[in-house]
């Protein structure tokens, strides 16, 4: 387990680097709306391979707004749309309808009370209310995530002393009815903390008796509260991040503790189901904006944090560089913001992460500021994308398929720190089963986030219907730069009722040079051969010995099942 510590050397090093070699972040004048009680997010809404912005909150005229700004060669132009306006909530991009463009999940306090909307992207910079029927929430964070591994995005909603998960069933959202306890959740996040290939859930907020942070493990779509003793926080930001590059997701929590002191705590994942609290020396904040990303392209996750610090009238705005065994305040000179958000994203496509901040600037007035990461005299190199994943394999287990691939490499990000991003479709280059939220031709990410498969080298896709599927995978580094997509993999799911099949008896079943299926059977009173088509229908049954030439089969995929009622072997064959 990697242990983070502070030492005299670290203090001296931090002082020297802060004073002598600070990273340069320059304020860029933009037309972005100034907002507080706000959240902003990066997302490519128009498919032109640059990051646009959605933001919500209260502007300088004390008006509640939701606005989308298009990135045009590094400048931002408001798209004139009548959108549901909210404050004190969240705004997140996600392709819920799997049509290849970015929709938006909006939650918060609207004109008529707590609200939740999905804004469907119709293309040509046009968004409409999808009328998803979600319950309204405010004073919380919400998120997209495929908790049931069926390839589409489900919805997590928090606020108003409630937490909901709504399952996406072909664009219809259904409350799964999980009870997460009675507390005012100010933050919620998805992450695969146990590397079992599904999304677990972290909640933090006010229990009514004080702040709490709770981890719920996902077990086949059901959630179970763990007894891991996380530090309780409220009015902050919490989530998952692999800050030590060891392939498992660590946890961070920020906000007020039970004494109403602003805190920030990191919990190190030991890879065996446990977490250890560490790193007490980072400045905590409440009413927080916090985000992780590799701003200096050295391959690990750095952090930006803004918010209310300890002490009356103290507000902080800091960027901490991850130096392996400790974090260094680089003295970036960014202002402090409270009741807003902080988001890394490469808006100018120059290979490094820029920074978008919203909220009350120095507790004075609503503000939105874009800080450009200016290379200038910096010594670090421009980021390069990871290598393209290879070695794609697919293993069927009933109506589930486990997809796996070989790890990629990267010149900056340690291989264990890379995440992966899947696209799956019913036709080549389609994403109608699982959307990648990236350009399928260039690999350019449409959101500034980790890949949908996390840091795993395999992913389980569940509840597929019989048919042929095509899939690709790309690697994502800590600067949210994606590799090209891999060559296409292909698999055919056959409804056989048999959990697994493989090349079990090639000497008995094969397709000859004339593309005819040959079955050489030595049966008994109990043994038989069954030929099953892709939909699970039995098209032939053989119960006699000898060589059988099955020339009457139509072209397609079949499964040959050999055995008895109690014990069966199966092999997939293709007749072309």
């Amino acid at each position: 387990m990697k242990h983070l510590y502070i030492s005299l050397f670290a203090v001296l090093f931090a002082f020297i680097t802060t004073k002598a070699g600070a990273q340069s972040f320059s304020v860029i004048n933009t037309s972005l709306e100034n907002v507080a009680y706000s959240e902003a997010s990066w997302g490519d809404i128009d498919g032109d391979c640059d990051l646009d912005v959605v933001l919500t909150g209260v502007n300088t005229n004390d008006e509640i707004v939701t606005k989308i700004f298009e990135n045009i060669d590094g400048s931002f132009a408001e798209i004139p749309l009548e959108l549901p306006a909210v404050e004190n909530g969240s705004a997140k991009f996600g392709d819920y309808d799997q049509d290849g463009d970015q929709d938006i999940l909006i939650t918060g306090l609207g004109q008529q009370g707590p609200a939740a909307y999905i804004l469907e992207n119709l293309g040509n910079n046009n968004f409409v209310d999808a009328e998803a029927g979600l319950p309204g929430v405010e004073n919380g964070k919400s998120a997209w995530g495929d908790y049931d591994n069926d390839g589409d995005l489900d919805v997590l909603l928090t606020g108003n002393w409630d937490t909901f998960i709504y399952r996406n069933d072909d664009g219809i959202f259904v409350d799964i009815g999980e009870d997460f306890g009675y507390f005012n959740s100010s933050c919620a996040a998805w992450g695969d903390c146990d590397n079992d290939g599904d999304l677990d859930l972290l909640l933090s907020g006010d229990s009514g008796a004080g702040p709490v942070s709770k981890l719920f493990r996902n077990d086949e779509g059901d959630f179970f509260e763990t007894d891991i003793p996380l530090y309780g926080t409220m009015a902050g930001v919490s989530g998952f991040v692999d800050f030590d590059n060891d392939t498992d997701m660590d946890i961070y929590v920020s906000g007020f503790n039970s004494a109403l002191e602003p805190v920030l705590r990191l919990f190190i994942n030991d890879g065996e189901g446990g977490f250890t609290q560490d790193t007490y020396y980072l400045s905590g904040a409440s009413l927080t904006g916090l985000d992780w990303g590799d701003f200096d392209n050295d391959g690990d996750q750095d952090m930006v944090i803004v918010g209310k610090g300890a002490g009356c009238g103290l507000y902080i705005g800091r960027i901490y560089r991850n130096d392996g065994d400790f974090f260094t305040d680089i003295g970036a000179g960014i202002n402090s913001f409270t009741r807003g958000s902080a988001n890394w994203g490469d808006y100018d496509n120059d290979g490094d992460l820029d920074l978008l901040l919203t909220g009350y600037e120095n507790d004075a007035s609503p503000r939105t500021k874009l800080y450009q990461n200016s290379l200038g005299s910096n010594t670090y190199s421009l980021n390069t994308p990871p290598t393209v994943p290879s070695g794609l394999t697919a293993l069927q287990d009933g109506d589930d398929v486990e997809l796996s691939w070989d790890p990629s490499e990267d010149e900056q990000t340690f291989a264990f720190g890379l995440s992966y991003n899947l696209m799956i479709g019913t036709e080549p280059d389609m994403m109608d089963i699982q959307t990648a939220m990236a350009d399928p031709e260039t690999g350019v990410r449409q959101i500034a986030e980790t890949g949908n498969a996390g840091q795993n080298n395999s992913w389980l896709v569940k509840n597929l219907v019989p048919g042929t599927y095509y899939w690709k995978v790309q690697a994502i580094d800590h600067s949210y730069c994606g590799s090209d997509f891999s060559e296409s993999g292909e698999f055919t799911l056959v409804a056989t009722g048999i959990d697994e099949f493989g090349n079990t008896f090639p000497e008995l079943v094969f397709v000859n040079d004339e593309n005819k299926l040959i079955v050489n059977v030595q049966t008994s009173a109990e043994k038989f051969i069954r030929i099953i088509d892709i939909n699970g229908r039995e098209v032939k049954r053989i119960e006699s010995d000898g060589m059988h030439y099955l020339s009457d089969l139509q072209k397609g995929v079949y499964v040959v099942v050999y055995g008895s009622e109690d014990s069966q072997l199966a092999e997939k064959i293709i007749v072309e």
Side-chain angles (χ1 to χ4, degrees), residues 98 151 403 422-436 461 464 467-472 488-492:
Q98 298 167 298
L403 305 175
L422 288 169
M423 57 179 285
I424 308 173
T426 55
E427 298 289 343
D429 299 321
M430 285 185 63
M431 293 188 284
D432 56 329
I433 300 300
Q434 183 151 342
T435 179
V461 185
L464 293 171
T468 298
Y469 297 88
Y470 303 86
W471 65 291
K472 296 181 179 181
S488 183
E490 178 182 344
F491 63 91
T492 298

Side-chain angles (χ1 to χ4, degrees), residues 2 4 13 241-245 250 266 281-282 292-304 319-330 478:
K2 180 177 286 187
L4 300 181
F13 183 82
V241 62
D242 181 16
F243 61 81
D244 53 2
N245 272 351
D250 310 302
L266 304 182
Y281 59 90
L282 296 178
W292 295 83
D294 183 13
F295 80 85
D296 56 355
N297 293 339
D298 67 347
D300 51 27
Q301 294 272 34
D302 311 300
M303 179 177 59
V304 57
I319 295 175
Y320 285 104
R321 186 179 64 234
N322 186 343
D323 288 321
D325 288 330
F326 54 90
F327 288 87
T328 301
D329 180 357
I330 68 168
H478 285 326

Side-chain angles (χ1 to χ4, degrees), residues 248-263:
D248 50 37
M249 302 302 290
D250 310 302
I251 289 175
Y252 63 93
V253 296
S254 69
F256 284 124
N257 64 11
S258 57
L260 297 183
E261 301 166 332
V263 297

Side-chain angles (χ1 to χ4, degrees), residues 361-574:
E361 184 177 25
N362 297 323
D363 198 36
S365 60
R367 191 75 64 203
T368 298
K369 272 191 174 179
L370 176 60
Y371 287 84
Q372 185 181 48
N373 187 344
S374 305
L375 287 175
S377 60
N378 296 307
T379 58
Y380 66 84
S381 301
L382 281 173
N383 186 51
T384 57
T387 60
V388 178
S390 59
L392 277 62
T393 59
L395 177 63
Q396 179 183 350
D397 183 2
D399 57 359
D400 303 338
V401 172
E402 183 179 36
L403 305 175
S404 60
W405 53 91
D406 295 335
S408 292
E409 297 180 352
D410 187 80
E411 291 186 8
Q412 291 81 32
T413 301
F414 189 50
F416 286 162
L418 296 174
S419 66
Y420 294 90
N421 196 30
L422 288 169
M423 57 179 285
I424 308 173
T426 55
E427 298 289 343
D429 299 321
M430 285 185 63
M431 293 188 284
D432 56 329
I433 300 300
Q434 183 151 342
T435 179
M437 291 188 283
D439 187 290
E441 295 184 0
T442 65
V444 173
R445 296 284 280 146
Q446 294 173 345
I447 55 173
E449 296 179 9
T450 56
N452 55 27
Q455 292 173 240
N456 303 287
N457 293 117
S458 64
W459 195 249
L460 185 65
V461 185
K462 296 182 177 180
N463 302 320
L464 293 171
V465 300
T468 298
Y469 297 88
Y470 303 86
W471 65 291
K472 296 181 179 181
V473 62
Q474 69 172 161
I476 310 294
D477 66 18
H478 285 326
S479 296
Y480 308 122
C481 176
S483 71
D484 289 338
F485 277 94
S486 66
E487 294 294 326
S488 183
E490 178 182 344
F491 63 91
T492 298
L493 196 68
V494 184
T496 65
I498 309 297
D499 286 341
E500 297 181 0
F501 53 79
N503 190 19
T504 54
F505 42 97
E507 72 281 359
L508 300 180
V509 178
F510 58 93
V511 178
N512 70 2
D513 293 339
E514 298 178 0
N515 203 38
K516 294 179 181 179
L517 177 63
I518 310 299
V519 179
N520 185 16
V521 186
Q522 291 184 348
T523 66
S524 66
E526 296 82 16
K527 295 291 183 69
F528 54 78
I529 286 280
R530 298 168 61 217
I531 312 298
I532 300 174
D533 70 9
I534 193 172
N535 294 312
R537 295 188 294 263
E538 183 179 295
V539 298
K540 185 79 66 174
R541 187 180 182 99
I542 302 169
E543 297 181 348
S544 60
D545 292 349
M547 188 80 71
H548 298 266
Y549 296 81
L550 304 182
S551 59
D552 57 343
L553 291 179
Q554 300 293 321
K555 293 181 179 180
V557 178
Y558 298 88
V559 167
V560 180
V561 180
Y562 174 63
S564 65
E565 296 296 341
D566 297 327
S567 177
Q568 299 177 8
L569 298 175
E571 180 179 353
K572 182 169 66 176
I573 56 95
I574 300 175

Side-chain angles (χ1 to χ4, degrees), residues 263-282:
V263 297
L264 171 63
R265 297 289 185 266
L266 304 182
F267 290 83
I268 303 171
N269 190 336
D270 63 11
E272 298 179 355
F275 288 82
T276 302
Q277 179 178 315
D278 212 333
T279 312
Y280 294 87
Y281 59 90
L282 296 178

